Amino acid sequence: MFESTFADAGRRDWVDSGGDEGGNGDGSGSDGDDTTTRIATVGCGNYARSVSIPAMARGDYARPTVVVSGDADKRAALADEFGVTALDYDEYEAGAATDEYDAVYVATPNRLHLPHVETAAGHGKHVICEKPLEATVERAERLVGACEDAGVRLMTAYRMQTDPVMRRLRAFVAAGGIGDLQRAVGDFTFPVLAGDAGPEQWRLDGRLAGGGALYDVGVYPLNTARFVAGDDPTAVSATVRSPDDAFDEVDQHVDFRVEFGGGDADGWVGNFSASFSGHPNTSLELLGTEGRIAVRSAFQPGADREVTVETAEGTMEFAGLGADETVEEFDYFAHAVATGGDIEPDGADGLVDMRTLAAVQASARAGERIELER
Amino acid sequence: MFESTFADAGRRDWVDSGGDEGGNGDGSGSDGDDTTTRIATVGCGNYARSVSIPAMARGDYARPTVVVSGDADKRAALADEFGVTALDYDEYEAGAATDEYDAVYVATPNRLHLPHVETAAGHGKHVICEKPLEATVERAERLVGACEDAGVRLMTAYRMQTDPVMRRLRAFVAAGGIGDLQRAVGDFTFPVLAGDAGPEQWRLDGRLAGGGALYDVGVYPLNTARFVAGDDPTAVSATVRSPDDAFDEVDQHVDFRVEFGGGDADGWVGNFSASFSGHPNTSLELLGTEGRIAVRSAFQPGADREVTVETAEGTMEFAGLGADETVEEFDYFAHAVATGGDIEPDGADGLVDMRTLAAVQASARAGERIELER
């Protein structure tokens, strides 16, 4: 079963036919093609500039056509590199160049997602919004409502849901490849101060970010385990530690246990963790009644996922089956918008995590297990 | 640093000199040798018969000389195989053959540890007692007190503390090999019904065992992480699930988070789990500020520990450096008893785990984080 599940790992299972449905097969873009979507990027931080916009440019269905930034130098550099129209925030809000994009990618600090999504929805543009959806549950609910009210599509930018390896692992688990899931273990340790950005960055600003390691990277093991298992949380329990001064407003280390499916035979538990300092680490492990799956380099952008699958049949290790999940992410969104296809990591999916993250914070404060409303 | 720490992995660091101090160098045993200890095994279940007694027989300092069992067939078979004197429980309690053993290995169901240790102490015999020490904290405290009052040595049988790989990892961590410890993750999944023993076994009897997967195998990641890090718990939070009928008296699955050293920079968190059903799994991972250690086959008896050490210097994987930790365990105990050497996994060490396990059970019942008294 393992081999058959992974034999077609290169195929885009979200495209109905295996062949060319259109798109920019040559990567060059073509106006008016009915399977491409032109995307305006709002917020041009390092991740958007170095990962997201280049991924759109490499895609078959996504095309970067507009950028919105408050920084004139960034606007000029991006216009030069990608041939995009560059706007400042006033121009974006006023509706400049709305005929040059079909959808908006919101990549600003978390607490600014809502106003930029509201602007996009007001312009009638579809939205792909970075995770977590906002800095609070209430604001995230308003964000989702704004898209619903305007009749525009909304995707929460969970790139692991379009990672080919994770999609195959989901199929393998759903087909009973490791029996019934009993437990997941996942960690994302991201030394946020190790790069160019110092302690003044928005990720350490409690109000702008909404949370620290939990919000920025803890959502990866949580959402990816939910995606691979196809379940939603029922209760959480958490511990937070922030010993270093740089993290006086946000969690530096979080360890959170998430219960799924209650105490019956269908239930399972996720032991997740995230840190904003320490040796870099991303891992996801799934333990079942009949086997075990372990993924190293599980969440790094564009990394080769190292996968071990252990069952009664034996142990298989593989690597090199993946593809750049961020290219996949924007192509998945662009293709769905252009063709009316399903968007699985939708606003409702993003809201489940927002409510879970809020419960994790509340649990850590109270020292109590907190049940989630279903 | 990594290479130098592991260069001498074969050396018994608990023997002062590298050379022969006596002992049964030829494994044949020799009466009156002042570095050997003759051991009576009380309780001859499968583990004692197939692992512990053969390990004593293979050791340099331990010698199996007496067995105590309520089963005449087991007594005859063990007497035949190991040349030991075989007693029933009445004979053991009455003091039969006390001139044939110096120490007692107690391997009965957990709730029977106390009376058998009291008997051993009454005979003036040293004790190595299986983990966990007893079925309740109060009984474990009486057990430790009985040995103290009688002036006999007590070792809690934590075989991972004498595992050569774990001892080297402890030295590597203590020397700063992965910087400051931030997090440990460990699991022991043991399908207790997969072997010959059916649902009538004592491990599933709540009163006899005191707990299920938590007591029988969950203590491994807990105690081993404590040993490698050199820290004691300060608080716990836990979830228990027992969906299958066979586990109506004990925990089938437990997930427990253990805080060490409080919320300051010295603090760290252990995310531990254990199951009495599912695909077999034993693992321990240590995440630090400067590196990561992962051990597969971490807790199986006599298994080759597969170790990955990842630091800024690179990633090293090794196997084959270990030795049978159960031979080491009984030799360590026997050597310490014979020479007056330190016993690190002593009664106090065992009591820390008993109090932690009890707090884990209470936390799961209450749905609350529980702080431990220091």
Side-chain angles (χ1 to χ4, degrees), chain A residues 67-153:
Chain A
V67 296
V68 180
S69 170
D71 182 322
D73 291 341
K74 285 183 187 173
R75 290 197 300 272
L78 289 164
D80 184 53
E81 183 175 357
F82 295 100
V84 293
T85 297
L87 310 177
D88 64 24
Y89 282 101
D90 288 341
E91 293 169 327
Y92 167 62
E93 283 156 28
T98 46
D99 59 341
E100 296 181 35
Y101 61 96
D102 311 304
V104 171
Y105 166 54
V106 177
T108 59
N110 299 336
R111 186 173 278 267
L112 303 179
H113 290 178
L114 175 58
H116 297 314
V117 169
E118 285 175 334
T119 298
H123 294 335
K125 305 299 182 185
H126 307 290
V127 175
I128 174 169
C129 181
E130 269 301 341
K131 35 54 52 188
L133 273 179
E134 247 284 352
T136 70
V137 173
E138 184 271 336
R139 292 176 65 87
E141 288 170 343
R142 284 166 58 196
L143 184 157
V144 173
C147 292
E148 287 173 353
D149 292 347
V152 300
R153 313 289 304 272

Side-chain angles (χ1 to χ4, degrees), chain A residues 3-236:
Chain A
E3 281 91 349
S4 63
T5 305
F6 284 87
D8 65 345
R11 187 173 66 81
R12 291 177 146 184
D13 56 7
W14 42 268
V15 177
D16 289 327
S17 82
D20 190 351
E21 287 196 332
N24 312 325
D26 60 356
S28 65
S30 57
D31 279 307
D33 189 311
D34 65 2
T35 61
T36 60
T37 297
R38 301 167 303 164
I39 302 178
T41 295
V42 176
C44 297
N46 181 59
Y47 187 84
R49 295 198 311 278
S50 64
V51 179
S52 304
I53 298 173
M56 295 176 206
R58 290 205 304 280
D60 290 334
Y61 304 108
R63 285 176 54 210
T65 53
V66 173
V67 296
V68 180
S69 170
D71 182 322
D73 291 341
K74 285 183 187 173
R75 290 197 300 272
L78 289 164
D80 184 53
E81 183 175 357
F82 295 100
V84 293
T85 297
L87 310 177
D88 64 24
Y89 282 101
D90 288 341
E91 293 169 327
Y92 167 62
E93 283 156 28
T98 46
D99 59 341
E100 296 181 35
Y101 61 96
D102 311 304
V104 171
Y105 166 54
V106 177
T108 59
N110 299 336
R111 186 173 278 267
L112 303 179
H113 290 178
L114 175 58
H116 297 314
V117 169
E118 285 175 334
T119 298
H123 294 335
K125 305 299 182 185
H126 307 290
V127 175
I128 174 169
C129 181
E130 269 301 341
K131 35 54 52 188
L133 273 179
E134 247 284 352
T136 70
V137 173
E138 184 271 336
R139 292 176 65 87
E141 288 170 343
R142 284 166 58 196
L143 184 157
V144 173
C147 292
E148 287 173 353
D149 292 347
V152 300
R153 313 289 304 272
L154 170 63
M155 172 167 160
T156 309
Y158 291 121
R159 58 186 169 80
M160 301 320 300
Q161 292 201 25
T162 56
D163 185 89
V165 170
M166 293 299 176
R167 294 182 77 84
R168 267 52 184 194
L169 289 177
R170 179 174 70 156
F172 185 68
V173 168
I178 58 168
D180 296 326
L181 185 62
Q182 293 193 162
R183 180 171 287 126
V185 184
D187 178 70
F188 198 150
T189 295
F190 167 58
V192 70
L193 295 174
D196 295 335
E200 297 308 309
Q201 60 183 298
W202 69 264
R203 284 180 173 80
L204 306 188
D205 180 318
R207 187 174 173 281
L208 274 179
L214 174 66
Y215 270 54
D216 199 51
V217 288
V219 72
Y220 280 86
L222 169 63
N223 186 267
T224 308
R226 286 182 51 215
F227 172 70
V228 172
D231 276 326
D232 286 345
T234 55
V236 301

